[in-house]
Amino acid sequence: MRKKTKGYLALGVLGAVLAVLSLILEGRISDPVGGMLMGTGSGLFAFGFCQWRMRRWEEKDPERMHQATVEANDERNVAIRRRAQAVSGEVLQWAVMAAAWVSIGLGAPLWVTLAAVGVFLAKSILEIALMVRYQRQM
Amino acid sequence: MRPANGGDGLKNRLEELRKARGIRQEELAEALEVSRQTIGSLENGRYNPSILLAFKIARYFGMTIEEIFLYEEEPS
């Protein structure tokens, strides 16, 4: 357990080093490489540091951690979370479609409209694919 | 408002059984590994449990599911 905790801390530190490195080397390395360093570094830092904090919390207060796990896995909470995710996804999908119509009205470049329609279609296709998959599973 | 997971017509004796045994919602929640809010929602009929949780509840009280959960078909 402690080994894993230290591993996450190391990951966070590595992320911070990469992010700082991208700032130090600005101008000396190409923008895409700098962007990659910053993106990877920030991601690793956030993931590593959060996981490290969680493990530390778990070690210090196992009772509270157990309660948090129960809350997270509680079937009603899971149902609420899934329902909220489904509804927000649906709302967002139609908002994207509305944005496509608005972009036409505002005379936005064609790629904006096509991108919005693309997102709408991609979500619809993914939804159907997942429905087929779940129908086979259930 | 209809229960979040549908299933109108399902009633339960959870509150009655819990109180008869002098158990607090927190204790029941801990034994069943669910949140206290879930117990509250079950008791006031806002939430219907999964079949697994229904079995857990039945085993906890040493009863059958039918003795705890009562389904009353609504007249069509």
Side-chain angles (χ1 to χ4, degrees), chain A residues 66 70-71 74-77 83, chain B residues 4 34-35 38 41 47 50:
Chain A
H66 172 71
V70 167
E71 293 274 344
D74 175 71
E75 66 168 48
R76 178 174 155 272
N77 285 343
R83 192 174 183 188
Chain B
V34 296
S35 67
T38 296
S41 293
Y47 177 69
S50 68

Side-chain angles (χ1 to χ4, degrees), chain B residues 20-35:
Chain B
R21 283 164 174 76
I23 309 163
R24 288 185 297 120
Q25 282 190 341
E26 288 84 353
E27 290 168 333
L28 183 58
E30 202 180 321
L32 298 171
E33 293 194 311
V34 296
S35 67

Side-chain angles (χ1 to χ4, degrees), chain B residues 43-60:
Chain B
E43 285 186 357
N44 59 36
R46 275 206 314 264
Y47 177 69
N48 291 331
S50 68
I51 193 76
L52 285 176
L53 183 55
F55 267 112
K56 271 186 168 183
I57 293 168
R59 286 209 179 141
Y60 179 84

Side-chain angles (χ1 to χ4, degrees), chain A residues 17-130:
Chain A
V17 168
L18 288 178
V20 170
L21 210 63
S22 80
L23 293 174
I24 294 170
L25 297 176
E26 199 181 354
R28 278 180 276 179
I29 52 172
S30 66
D31 280 353
V33 175
M36 263 171 56
L37 273 179
M38 178 55 89
T40 313
S42 313
L44 278 179
F45 174 73
F47 174 75
F49 189 71
C50 286
Q51 290 294 328
W52 174 72
R53 270 312 302 160
M54 289 291 285
R55 302 283 159 180
R56 290 282 295 160
W57 186 33
E58 200 174 346
E59 282 169 13
K60 278 186 179 171
D61 197 346
E63 183 51 42
R64 211 169 141 199
M65 193 64 202
H66 172 71
Q67 191 53 39
T69 310
V70 167
E71 293 274 344
N73 297 327
D74 175 71
E75 66 168 48
R76 178 174 155 272
N77 285 343
V78 171
I80 290 170
R81 199 160 52 235
R82 286 185 181 160
R83 192 174 183 188
Q85 284 170 345
V87 172
S88 63
E90 197 76 6
V91 168
L92 206 61
Q93 184 188 16
W94 288 104
V96 165
M97 203 58 199
W101 278 105
V102 170
S103 71
I104 294 169
L106 294 174
L110 184 63
W111 69 266
V112 175
T113 312
L114 288 179
V117 173
V119 169
F120 180 88
L121 286 176
K123 200 266 179 188
S124 305
I125 292 166
L126 185 63
E127 194 177 311
I128 292 166
L130 288 172

